[in-house]
Amino acid sequence: MLLSEDDVALFARVSGDQNALHCSPGHARRTPFGRTVAHGVLAVLATLDEQAADAGAGATAVEADFGNPVFPGVRYRSEALGEARTGLGYRLLDGDRTCLTVRVRPGAPADLDPLPVPQDRPAARHGIEDLPSGTAVSGEYGPEGTHALRGRFPVAARLLGPTPLACLLWSSYVAGMRLPGENCLLGRVALRFLPVAARGPARLSYSARVVHTDLRFGLVSIVGQITADGVVVAESEIEAMVRTPAPPATAAALGEHLSPSTRLRGASAVVVGGSRGLGAALSLALASQGAEVFVGHRDTLPPALRAEAEGLPGRLHSVPGDAADPRWSAELRSRVEREHGRLGFLVCSAAPPLRTLDLAATDLERMDAFLTGSLRLVSAPMTGLLPLLEPGRGRCLVISSAALDEPPRDWPHYVAAKSAVEGLVRWAARHHPGVAFRLARPGMLWTEQTNSPGARETAGPVEPVAARLVRHLLEPAPADGAPHLIGEGEPVGPIPAGPT
């Protein structure tokens, strides 16, 4: 099964679910997923369309459970689970990982033709604390242009029928746009369709309310009803996780660990991946010491980060673009040479989005892409900027990970990528003796890269780590020329020599 960006756009237009995670690449890049995600209900339709060709027409119930994201442009495997008490079952797989399961109970639902109702309101931006039990929404609903969606997924449309299809689209709309809204990660949808004597065109109305909120894990349970002219045609249960964005780095939190100074007044620094997470904290830390910091980022420099830098002794300068492209560092090199003559600090903190992978044949292509992308985000900036560091014995800090000490089960690609990056730094230290290299292996930090309920309970803030790393950069460079490793605590000394 393969979905395209056009499929996502079609589903968003018809269903009204214009959630930014699906429709805004810039927004999606700032989430743990790193790119736009296909709607869960869209993936359900695609799974049914691929697997349910021999099923009858009509459904009295649909249940879908969502376990892992589905991305446009990635091929997945679907399979039938066979008949059971709860109906026909199907599953969508990413390698050995289940993305979703769906069960359809055959039958004859209401034979209505839902009238379209334009949905032009923006997505609600609720946090989990905004959704106590009893929180409710209501309104009218009708998908627009369903003929195009039925044409794209004819088997699924025939299996479900007009009313169940409209109600399934509604479940995506109400979760993604209203309750909980923009921060929704859909977990489960269960719809039961009731027999209705009426036929023909009908205007649907709905109500939905929160019946349970789990503040610790950010989970909400929602029940709802869909009616046609006052008669209930469907009952729903929706479970969702309310995503809590990782807190941005702040100058105040940084100041608790690193007092502002003018020690780096006149010095220039480049921070690759410096607009969020640990990179943003490092940008602020260098600016707090008076440096002119060139912040590498993909889209726009967050206004909140600019605001945090106001009043610091140094300044932040936006350098948008793809740091994996050598042209980015070449253009930046010309700018730094023109404005400063040489470079004092290069910090490589960027990394591709981190997702679960296995060491399996089905994951090799994505593993290769992750390895290449990770290495290029260090090698390309070094290619252009190391020559600017050498004249003044500049410092190069590369962010690795404590995952190399205790490799996580689901991150073989991440461990391999960080190992390759450390090998590159070891090589660079040998052949660029005019640069002082440091590698950092911080532990788990609460950033968008690792933003999950588990991480929120165990991960640490970025500011103390950034402060400690910048203090190390301010110390005299070691004379031995070897890259020095900074672990979770104090530095643990030179990196052991590699094979000769």
Side-chain angles (χ1 to χ4, degrees):
M1 190 277 287
L2 179 67
L3 292 170
S4 68
E5 295 285 0
D6 288 343
D7 292 328
V8 174
L10 171 63
F11 183 90
R13 184 173 66 253
V14 174
S15 68
D17 185 356
Q18 302 276 352
N19 189 293
L21 181 61
H22 311 300
C23 301
S24 171
H27 172 89
R29 267 196 293 271
R30 296 190 293 272
T31 71
F33 305 105
R35 54 168 297 192
T36 52
V37 178
H39 304 74
V41 171
L42 170 61
V44 166
L45 294 180
T47 301
L48 293 176
D49 205 70
E50 190 168 83
Q51 287 291 330
D54 297 329
T60 58
V62 175
E63 296 181 8
D65 292 278
F66 305 96
N68 283 287
V70 174
F71 297 96
V74 176
R75 190 169 295 279
Y76 298 88
R77 176 170 59 90
S78 64
E79 64 181 21
L81 299 177
E83 295 189 31
R85 182 179 58 83
T86 54
L88 304 171
Y90 308 96
R91 180 166 58 181
L92 188 66
L93 296 162
D94 180 11
D96 294 330
R97 298 175 296 279
T98 300
C99 296
L100 66 86
T101 57
V102 55
R103 290 197 178 276
V104 179
R105 184 178 298 164
D111 188 13
L112 300 173
D113 184 13
L115 295 172
V117 178
Q119 305 292 342
D120 56 3
R121 71 174 70 218
R125 293 183 175 179
H126 295 305
I128 186 63
E129 67 281 353
D130 303 321
L131 298 168
S133 295
T135 303
V137 297
S138 60
E140 293 186 338
Y141 181 79
E144 293 191 276
T146 54
H147 62 281
L149 198 65
R150 292 197 300 266
R152 173 65 179 88
F153 303 107
V155 173
R158 177 182 58 81
L159 170 63
L160 295 171
T163 300
L165 175 60
C167 293
L168 194 58
L169 299 182
W170 167 84
S171 68
S172 183
Y173 165 78
V174 78
M177 299 297 287
R178 303 215 58 191
L179 200 65
E182 184 173 287
N183 293 320
C184 171
L185 297 177
L186 196 57
R188 181 173 184 270
V189 169
L191 290 163
R192 184 169 69 93
F193 310 110
L194 283 66
V196 177
R199 293 174 177 270
R203 187 174 294 273
L204 302 182
S205 299
Y206 68 87
S207 62
R209 62 184 174 87
V210 176
V211 293
H212 179 71
T213 302
D214 186 327
L215 292 173
R216 180 180 179 186
F217 292 104
L219 301 173
V220 291
S221 298
I222 301 162
V223 298
Q225 282 190 338
I226 300 175
T227 62
D229 300 324
V231 178
V232 178
V233 298
E235 297 175 333
S236 70
E237 297 177 4
I238 298 173
E239 295 178 1
M241 177 181 291
V242 184
R243 195 175 63 84
T244 300
T250 67
L254 184 67
E256 296 177 5
H257 307 277
L258 183 66
S259 299
S261 77
T262 57
R263 184 170 178 179
L264 296 180
R265 175 69 54 84
S268 60
V270 171
V271 182
V272 182
S275 65
R276 52 190 180 128
L278 179 58
L282 287 164
S283 296
L284 291 175
L286 288 164
S288 77
Q289 303 305 299
E292 299 293 311
V293 184
F294 296 88
V295 182
H297 57 91
R298 287 298 301 264
D299 298 307
T300 59
L301 195 63
L305 182 60
R306 287 186 181 275
E308 290 294 331
E310 292 180 3
L312 294 178
R315 292 180 298 175
L316 303 185
H317 304 273
S318 172
V319 189
D322 181 6
D325 186 339
R327 290 173 294 184
W328 180 85
S329 58
E331 293 173 3
L332 180 54
R333 175 178 175 174
S334 298
R335 179 178 174 183
V336 172
E337 281 183 313
R338 184 173 62 252
E339 298 177 10
H340 297 276
R342 65 188 184 187
L343 183 64
F345 303 90
L346 171 60
V347 178
C348 295
S349 184
L354 178 58
R355 294 188 284 271
T356 297
L357 290 179
D358 292 323
L359 187 59
T362 53
D363 287 339
L364 289 181
E365 186 174 338
R366 276 175 284 177
M367 179 175 287
D368 290 347
F370 187 89
L371 290 170
T372 301
S374 297
L375 195 59
R376 283 291 290 268
L377 285 170
V378 178
S379 61
M382 281 187 176
T383 297
L385 298 174
L386 283 184
L388 290 185
L389 290 171
E390 291 184 294
R393 185 64 171 160
R395 287 89 189 273
C396 178
L397 169 66
V398 178
I399 305 303
S400 182
S401 173
L404 269 67
D405 301 317
E406 296 185 16
R409 168 66 180 83
D410 297 325
W411 292 359
H413 54 312
Y414 183 74
V415 173
K418 291 301 185 182
S419 298
V421 164
E422 290 199 2
L424 175 65
V425 172
R426 184 182 295 116
W427 176 91
R430 171 73 65 86
H431 297 285
H432 290 268
V435 179
F437 288 89
R438 286 182 172 87
L439 273 162
R441 287 185 184 175
M444 182 72 77
L445 300 175
W446 186 11
T447 69
E448 285 300 345
Q449 185 81 297
T450 57
N451 194 5
S452 67
R456 290 197 291 273
E457 292 201 334
T458 60
V462 295
E463 292 90 350
V465 175
R468 183 164 58 88
L469 294 178
V470 169
R471 283 199 300 270
H472 282 296
L473 289 177
L474 294 174
E475 293 174 355
D480 57 14
H484 277 236
L485 180 66
I486 306 168
E488 290 190 66
E490 289 306 303
V492 297
I495 298 175
T500 59

